[in-house]
Amino acid sequence: MSFESHFPIWSQLQLHQQRLLLDSLTFQIVKRGTVLRGGSSDCAGLVLIRSGQLRALFYSEEGREITIYRLFDGDLCLFCAPCVIRSIQFGVTILAEKDTEFWRIPSGVYQGLMAQSAVVANYTNELMASRFNEVMSRMEQFMWRSMDKRVAAFLLQEASIEGTCELRITHEAIANHLGSHREVITRTLRDFQDAGMVKLSRGMVTILDQENLESLSIGRVIQRRKKGDPE
Amino acid sequence: MSFESHFPIWSQLQLHQQRLLLDSLTFQIVKRGTVLRGGSSDCAGLVLIRSGQLRALFYSEEGREITIYRLFDGDLCLFCAPCVIRSIQFGVTILAEKDTEFWRIPSGVYQGLMAQSAVVANYTNELMASRFNEVMSRMEQFMWRSMDKRVAAFLLQEASIEGTCELRITHEAIANHLGSHREVITRTLRDFQDAGMVKLSRGMVTILDQENLESLSIGRVIQRRKKGDPE
């Protein structure tokens, strides 16, 4: 798959704009765990993911962290290059959650395109709005939803991303995604286990009852099923 | 003051774009408490504030509310017309916190300008980024700061907006700004009163010790000063 087929507005660019982009691109492969953007001042360029997974998070002053969104194949990481939009002042850390292959568009080149092309500027607008949706939805969850609902939703999302109910993830990692503490997550997961919804083992959470987890995540009352209860 | 002098990119517009804007504008005055945008589907137009104050908030399913940002004289309310950017899917309620005079630019007209003008599209980008900053900062506060820090910061912000230390505001209203409950706010304010930082009376919070409130809001340790302590 080529850059041209991944970049959504490719066909709406003029020939010289297409050439400029292709000439300035770099293709990179990074290992899982690589920090693509660390502090608020980093601005190496926009990242278009060919394959892999990125995670945008932020840290509290005390070092707690929370995932604010994730990016997948074909997504463009606008906040990898916050300097392309002057008014962006918040700091987000972006790191590779999986080995990731991507094209990097230098910030200056992209800024030049935005300044001359309403198509590129409006595309950027839509990109930012998409991230805005995710942040607002995360904020909503954080503010109004109890931790058990959020953990349930997170497990289901992980299962959907990984395509399996056997999730290799630590309680610590779940806490870091949700801006919580390991102890809180462990307590919640044990409650889920008691209710027959998951099975816990070392470094692993296995979803046993997707339906009840779903009900819980959207706030319905759960039918508790304990060991020994009739099915 | 005219629309032309309030609209930041006026001089960068072409003559026919300026004329189009002027011909489509309406000028309105609304009373405090008026809802400018209620649900996610409202999209009457962008609002440029001549004078007054708007508040953007959202509601939980149970009806709790939280302020996500405020707009003042000269600000443009982009989310008053979410339909101008297709990808915006979250619902924000916008209401007038004070009697407000504004110009309304019809959504279709603004969308047309964005589509043809990189200047308008990039200006819109910067606007959205500014709101994004505010939302991220609110999210950060909500996630990592304790309620006493948030109440302290809110009182100081109110004093700065109103230009007075005598704030006519109920505990309920503070709770609604901060996504909390009245009881929690009352408890926090009483602690502040015990520490000599505020004085409480019916419908009123008077700031007595701005310096200590500031220290508290940014996380420094407070020197408690009780009645009878030497000054």
Side-chain angles (χ1 to χ4, degrees), chain B:
Chain B
M1 292 288 277
S2 62
F3 176 81
E4 296 91 314
S5 62
H6 271 77
F7 194 61
I9 49 169
W10 182 256
S11 64
Q12 295 171 68
L13 297 179
Q14 292 172 16
L15 206 61
H16 72 274
Q17 295 169 333
Q18 292 181 340
R19 194 160 305 139
L20 179 67
L21 266 179
L22 286 185
D23 287 348
S24 63
L25 284 181
T26 50
F27 183 71
Q28 284 181 254
I29 302 176
V30 295
K31 284 280 168 208
R32 178 186 167 164
T34 306
V35 175
L36 270 82
R37 180 190 165 204
S40 48
S41 58
D42 290 15
C43 194
L46 279 86
V47 160
L48 177 62
I49 304 175
R50 185 176 170 186
S51 73
Q53 189 170 316
L54 303 183
R55 175 177 168 231
L57 63 143
F58 63 58
Y59 290 101
S60 72
E61 284 165 19
E62 301 90 41
R64 274 167 72 194
E65 58 185 73
I66 187 169
T67 300
I68 49 171
Y69 57 81
R70 283 145 135 193
L71 299 171
F72 304 93
D73 296 7
D75 281 339
L76 200 139
C77 180
L78 179 62
F79 294 143
C80 286
C83 63
V84 302
I85 297 173
R86 270 197 318 271
S87 308
I88 293 180
Q89 281 153 5
F90 52 88
V92 163
T93 297
I94 315 263
L95 52 82
E97 253 189 326
K98 297 188 175 168
D99 294 352
T100 300
E101 300 181 316
F102 62 87
W103 294 277
R104 199 190 281 272
I105 309 169
S107 305
V109 169
Y110 195 83
Q111 261 176 315
L113 288 176
M114 273 174 67
Q116 64 181 243
S117 159
V119 168
V120 179
N122 282 306
Y123 168 63
T124 312
N125 252 321
E126 297 291 338
L127 263 183
M128 183 155 43
S130 300
R131 296 298 93 80
F132 217 141
N133 289 333
E134 288 169 296
V135 167
M136 293 298 274
S137 135
R138 192 52 52 103
M139 188 167 167
E140 215 167 351
Q141 284 170 22
F142 198 92
M143 288 191 312
W144 313 127
R145 290 212 194 167
S146 55
M147 188 48 78
D148 58 342
K149 288 184 193 175
R150 291 173 55 215
V151 173
F154 176 78
L155 294 177
L156 292 168
Q157 189 195 31
E158 281 299 296
S160 150
I161 292 172
E162 301 299 334
T164 171
C165 283
E166 300 190 342
L167 306 174
R168 300 208 158 275
I169 193 162
T170 63
H171 301 187
E172 178 87 38
I174 299 176
N176 287 343
H177 276 291
L178 299 178
S180 182
H181 296 284
R182 195 194 51 74
E183 298 75 13
V184 176
I185 301 300
T186 297
R187 201 160 52 232
T188 306
L189 287 173
R190 285 197 183 136
D191 285 347
F192 288 3
Q193 183 167 256
D194 288 347
M197 292 191 283
V198 303
K199 184 169 154 283
L200 305 177
S201 45
R202 178 174 285 274
M204 190 106 169
V205 180
T206 307
I207 296 177
L208 300 178
D209 185 346
Q210 195 159 339
E211 206 181 323
N212 258 339
L213 265 187
E214 255 156 21
S215 300
L216 174 60
S217 74
I218 56 171
R220 277 200 227 112
V221 176
I222 301 305
Q223 299 157 9
R224 295 231 156 196
R225 182 156 61 83
K226 299 252 186 187
K227 265 184 218 160
D229 279 2
E231 294 285 313

